[in-house]
Amino acid sequence: MYLTKEEEKMLNGDYGWAVSKALKVIVSIGESLNAEKLINISHAHISGVSYGNIGDPGRKLIKEFADSGVKFSVKTTVNPIGYDTIDYDAIPLTKIDRNYLKGQEDILMSLKKMGANLSLSCTPYYLPEVIDIKEGSSVAWGESNAVVYGNSVLGIKTNREGGPISLMAAITGKTYYYGLHIDENRIPSIRYIIRRPDDYELNEVRIGIIGEIISKAHNDERPPYLDEYISNETIIKELSASLGAAGNIAMIVIKGVTKQKIDENKLKETFTIDYKDIKTREDELMPSKTPDIIYFGCPHANKDEIEKIANQLKEFEKINSQIIITTSREQISKVSKETLSILKEKNVKLIGDTCLIVSPFGYRGLNIATNSYKAYFYLSKKGINVSLISINNLKEVLKL
Ligand code: F3S
């Protein structure tokens, strides 16, 4: 791989062992992928920071870097963890033990010491510092829904990085010139058309199922092209999450959303998704009785979703399900006082900083309904009974 003089100095330890060690990892992966050179990144988003997932080996590695005094060389944000940092007991039916807290706090302290913004959210694309990233810039992001959203909506370039790679990229400010950093690889290969009657609306559950269908059908390294204009950014968020969960897709070109010219000659084939197939899957995943838990916020809920949920709950005297919403502190700060008081009155748990999937929750044997295909995908793998409902159908589900 070609390295500039500056990169050789970094590799040889002129900027300390931490930079050298991090760059060695990036160079060796880049070489194994036959990348011709390294490129600069303008932002990093680190996933894999939950103590429940990375345990003591991960904590030790991050601490070693932090103790060396190295600082991140680009603005860096961080994925959610397994609990709310302001209220440790916010997750219903879940106890966070002292060891877990200590392990997680160490990780967060180390990341902060290196200069991370402890955003603790999987929707970094709502943060002002990310909205300001110039279109066409390369970044190193490690959260799959954010990767798809960043490439497809914001027009920034990132591969789907693993947690350790996004950490090394944050330290060095570099990644390998490979995959979606190369313009040619961003040209879509297969067109997906949705055949549906006008009154069959694409809500977040249906788009999640479409993401599942595309993930299963798409067998090309270049991105899919969705020949359907989607104006609602919350729905695109759920599509990004389902594509990232059900398959390995890191970008989708969406008609009228992704700023990219479509060269019809480069589209190899067209795949039609019939609404009846979406409906069959939707019916299969519908709840048949009142769920024990209704979970929203995977990816983290935005202010509009939170307000929509609260509005639907106003008319209920008593709610028989425990409603949980996970989101970022940044979005909580934007929610109106009225909404917060409705949620409190209805005993809805609005939980910051948290990914329920990586939290040590104890919901085995319970029925959970969610509007997120990604949550459905991961929670079912943990042996939980999961059904899918749109926020629009919340009232109906509460009346089951
Ligand atoms: Fe976010 Fe966790 Fe879902 S990181 S996208 S809430 S699985």
Side-chain angles (χ1 to χ4, degrees), residues 78 213 270 300:
V78 174
I213 295 171
T270 295
H300 274 174

Side-chain angles (χ1 to χ4, degrees), residues 79-80 122 143 145 295 297-300 326 354-357 374 378:
N79 234 24
C122 48
E143 158 56 44
N145 96 82
Y295 170 46
C298 169
H300 274 174
T326 51
T354 305
C355 165
L356 202 65
I357 315 296
K374 181 172 180 178
Y378 286 112

